[in-house]
């Protein structure tokens, strides 16, 4: 099996580009039907979702906009409170159908924090699209509208996802050697 080394860790090939692409096509087909006429705004979350967003948007054929934001996380007033602030959203999303484009939903904490902030901007509705979903790790009730791939709770890299900043450029997805 194909293996790679990133920094101090070894990873095995897990999901090949062709399968990733097919899975993205499947959700894009669904979006092209369900979001037709809704004039959606896709909101891609940097850095992780850059590759997924690029591939997805080539397959989305309905009129739509795409914009990119970054999440800044810092500790809140109490040391346990994680605050996620959305940076770089300059256009109004009031009254719009919003589609969050994320790399991965793990515990779901990030998504819950993001939804809370975006809801304050009064969109018409918020849909969630994620390249990867780890159902066993989910700790929050979340309705994921578009999931390209469901995976076990292993640590993975590639296709936008990183290990300590590296590996985002890999066109296949790799799993940490156990
Ligand atoms: P959550 O808030 O626990 O759902 O975590 C979401 C964030 O954790 C993602 O946006 C990723 O940045 C990171 N993450 C979770 N699992 C992985 C993984 O397997 N590889 C790389 N990053 C991950
Ligand atoms: Mg992320």
């Amino acid at each position: 099996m194909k293996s790679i080394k990133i920094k101090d860790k070894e990873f095995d090939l897990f999901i090949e580009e062709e399968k990733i692409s097919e899975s993205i096509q499947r959700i894009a087909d669904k979006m092209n039907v369900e979001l037709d006429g809704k004039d959606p705004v896709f909101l891609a979350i940097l850095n992780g979702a850059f590759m997924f967003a690029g591939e997805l948007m080539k397959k989305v054929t309905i009129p739509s906009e795409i914009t990119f934001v970054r999440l800044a996380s810092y500790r809140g007033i109490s040391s346990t409170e994680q605050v996620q602030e959305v940076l770089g959203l300059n256009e109004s999303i009031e009254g719009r159908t919003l589609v969050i484009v994320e790399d991965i939903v793990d515990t779901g904490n990030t998504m819950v924090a993001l939804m809370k902030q975006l809801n304050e901007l009064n969109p018409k509705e918020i849909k969630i699209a994620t390249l990867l979903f780890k159902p066993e790790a989910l700790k929050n009730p979340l309705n994921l509208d578009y999931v390209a791939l469901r995976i076990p709770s292993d640590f993975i890299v590639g296709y936008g996802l990183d290990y300590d900043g590296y590996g985002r450029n890999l066109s296949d997805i790799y799993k940490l050697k156990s």
Side-chain angles (χ1 to χ4, degrees):
M1 189 192 287
K2 194 178 165 199
S3 298
I4 53 158
K5 191 163 188 199
I6 302 177
K7 294 194 152 184
D8 57 325
K9 302 225 182 313
E10 296 214 50
F11 295 85
D12 290 326
L13 181 60
F14 183 40
I15 309 169
E16 290 186 77
E17 186 174 14
E18 196 187 338
K19 172 147 186 229
I20 301 169
S21 181
E22 284 168 13
S23 306
I24 297 173
Q25 185 67 59
R26 185 176 43 77
I27 61 169
D29 289 345
K30 199 170 167 227
M31 288 172 176
N32 289 332
V33 173
E34 293 179 358
L35 304 177
D36 191 20
K38 287 183 174 250
D39 188 24
V41 184
F42 289 85
L43 190 79
I45 314 300
L46 296 174
N47 296 324
F50 82 98
M51 205 176 278
F52 171 42
E55 191 63 23
L56 178 69
M57 296 313 291
K58 287 191 278 178
K59 300 176 190 307
V60 167
T61 54
I62 54 171
S64 54
E65 292 183 73
I66 182 158
T67 188
F68 294 83
V69 299
R70 179 181 280 282
L71 298 182
S73 33
Y74 52 91
R75 294 249 174 247
I77 316 273
S78 79
S79 63
T80 51
E81 188 198 13
Q82 268 282 108
V83 182
Q84 300 259 32
E85 193 192 349
V86 179
L87 302 180
L89 183 58
N90 303 317
E91 41 282 275
S92 169
I93 55 161
E94 193 172 336
R96 299 289 299 270
T97 292
L98 199 64
V99 185
I100 297 173
V101 179
E102 250 290 34
D103 52 357
I104 188 165
V105 175
D106 188 21
T107 63
N109 290 342
T110 306
M111 195 52 79
V112 167
L114 185 58
M115 296 275 284
K116 193 168 162 231
Q117 270 208 54
L118 294 173
N119 266 317
E120 284 168 18
L121 302 173
N122 300 315
K124 182 176 169 208
E125 58 184 339
I126 303 179
K127 306 270 183 196
I128 302 174
T130 187
L131 174 65
L132 297 148
F133 175 39
K134 295 179 178 173
E136 294 154 19
L138 192 68
K139 287 191 195 145
N140 299 273
L142 265 183
N143 181 31
L144 303 176
D145 302 277
Y146 305 101
V147 176
L149 295 156
R150 283 175 178 73
I151 58 166
S153 298
D154 302 293
F155 187 79
I156 51 133
V157 291
Y159 216 87
L161 289 105
D162 71 305
Y163 165 52
D164 207 10
Y166 289 83
R168 294 193 195 276
N169 54 318
L170 296 164
S171 54
D172 305 299
I173 291 173
Y174 291 78
K175 174 167 97 171
L176 184 65
K177 237 188 207 350
S178 46

